[in-house]
Amino acid sequence: MVIQNANVFQPDGSFRTGDIGIEDGRFSAAAGGERLDASGLTAIPGLVDLHFHGCAGYDFCDGSAEAISAIARYQASVGVGAICPATMTYPEEILNGIVDAAAAYRTEDDGAELVGINMEGPFFAESKKGAQNAAYLQPPNAALFRRLQTRSGGLFRLCDVAPEVEGGLDFIRELADEVRISLAHTAADYDTAKAAFEAGARQVTHLYNAMLPYSHRAPGLIGAACDLADAVELIADGVHVHPAAVRLTFRAFGDGRVILISDSMMAAGLADGSYSLGGQQVTVAGNRATLTDGTIAGSVTNLLDCMRTAVREMQIPLGSAVKAASVNPARAIGVYDRFGSIEPGKTANLLLLNDALAVQAVFLRGRRIR
């Protein structure tokens, strides 16, 4: 088929009016068949969420085919075509079950493609554990990571670590060539964070959250990331980060180094109520999810809504926001050859949006699902 006259997103964040060919589930330079007039609509690639925990009443850490299937279907329905869900801080025996379910899962016709796993925990600083379970924290352990990676069949695309904990820098040096290291749940100062990036860390997990704040005399991880990180994750749900801080981040890092994530938990797509995350009770009211002590426990906002919030409420240019939710995450986890942009040969995941950024159509692997 051919989608005609759309305002088509380009990988550099610009847009141009043109046609989009789709053939055999992939974007094509030339295609025949059905014609769809998309005049007045904006075409963007299917989004890539490299950090979230669940949605639609399920958690990736449920460790079941049913959970992954439901998660993948929900994500596809809201325009996310490739997913890299995150684990939580658990002991190895529980992580084994989660990994086994992921390794056995096969993409379904109406579901987003599972392209990786994000290992969030258990190698964190207790003082910055956030919603992670302190009972299961442990020092960084390369052997443990490698056992899980082997068991998963190589699915782990990201591994998070606090560099200041005992063995943290050695862990980064040892694994930097095997997996993308992201600094997370850490009280690292500037010098320690700098050493971590020099050792091979490349990313920062949910910037500003679960880390020391920036100040002009103690810039901490945030300052080191601005100097040295390849990319930083940002939750633009209107709860985790103030709009002014989101704008500042895009200005300071540039839209090529910001990755929008949802960090959603199982309540995304559902009503207010009581849920769980990492074995801990979570209360959801509106777009805020908290533990019993008031700690923010992930988000209840999907990535498309985060992207829209960044544009509508935080004044981020649409091209920059789309780039941060598609191109940048796909590059970060090594799947940009298949996802993240509208280019011939890539998987034909596509959204058509109107001027209000409301979804008019969702295509998954070339087939319209919404």
Side-chain angles (χ1 to χ4, degrees), residues 11-337:
D12 64 359
S14 64
F15 293 87
R16 66 164 177 80
T17 300
D19 299 343
I20 303 167
I22 298 176
E23 191 170 9
D24 296 326
R26 297 183 179 277
F27 294 120
S28 172
E34 179 185 355
R35 303 274 166 167
L36 174 63
D37 185 9
S39 298
L41 300 179
T42 295
I44 68 172
L47 307 185
V48 179
D49 199 345
L50 60 70
H51 186 158
F52 74 100
H53 298 277
C55 51
Y58 291 89
D59 192 304
F60 178 63
C61 290
D62 292 344
S64 70
E66 178 185 7
I68 300 174
S69 177
I71 287 168
R73 289 196 307 273
Y74 172 82
Q75 294 286 9
S77 75
V78 294
V80 179
I83 55 174
C84 181
T87 59
M88 290 285 287
T89 294
Y90 278 119
E92 185 172 2
E93 56 267 27
I94 293 178
L95 292 171
N96 282 340
I98 298 165
V99 165
D100 289 346
Y105 180 74
R106 297 295 177 265
T107 300
E108 298 170 324
D109 288 344
D110 57 350
E113 186 167 339
L114 179 70
V115 296
I117 303 173
N118 181 339
M119 187 171 179
E120 190 182 13
F123 310 135
F124 295 151
E126 184 169 0
S127 66
K128 293 295 179 182
K129 63 182 178 60
Q132 302 286 334
N133 194 329
Y136 302 132
L137 293 173
Q138 63 172 284
N141 184 329
L144 168 58
F145 171 80
R146 286 180 174 136
R147 288 194 297 271
L148 290 169
Q149 182 69 301
T150 298
R151 193 173 187 121
S152 76
L155 276 175
F156 282 94
R157 300 279 183 167
L158 288 162
C159 183
D160 297 357
V161 63
E164 79 277 16
V165 300
E166 183 178 357
L169 291 176
D170 289 337
F171 176 89
I172 294 168
R173 292 187 190 99
E174 186 169 352
L175 290 179
D177 292 334
E178 300 178 30
V179 66
R180 187 176 177 98
I181 301 292
S182 188
L183 304 185
H185 291 271
T186 170
D189 61 14
Y190 178 90
D191 290 337
T192 303
K194 179 175 181 289
F197 289 121
E198 291 173 344
R202 301 177 63 188
Q203 191 161 306
V204 177
T205 300
H206 44 52
L207 190 72
Y208 305 114
N209 297 108
M211 63 190 63
L212 295 176
Y214 176 94
S215 82
H216 63 295
R217 291 195 179 95
L221 171 56
I222 298 166
C226 195
D227 286 347
L228 298 165
D230 287 357
V232 295
E233 301 172 7
L234 198 61
I235 310 170
D237 63 347
V239 174
H240 283 77
V241 184
H242 191 280
V246 172
R247 289 191 291 273
L248 176 64
T249 303
F250 273 88
R251 292 186 186 117
F253 287 85
D255 65 11
R257 291 204 293 158
V258 177
I259 295 172
L260 290 179
I261 63 168
S262 71
D263 198 18
S264 67
M265 46 84 70
M266 64 164 56
L270 301 178
D272 292 358
S274 294
Y275 298 91
S276 67
L277 179 66
Q280 301 176 94
Q281 182 179 338
V282 176
T283 299
V284 173
N287 66 341
R288 182 180 292 267
T290 56
L291 299 181
T292 55
D293 65 0
T295 300
I296 294 175
S299 89
V300 293
T301 307
N302 63 60
L303 183 58
L304 178 60
D305 282 336
C306 285
M307 188 198 83
R308 280 194 285 232
T309 297
V311 176
R312 290 172 174 172
E313 301 177 22
M314 300 173 174
Q315 293 79 55
I316 302 302
L318 177 60
S320 294
V322 174
K323 186 175 179 180
S326 58
V327 174
N328 299 346
R331 282 178 170 157
I333 58 175
V335 297
Y336 189 60
D337 59 327

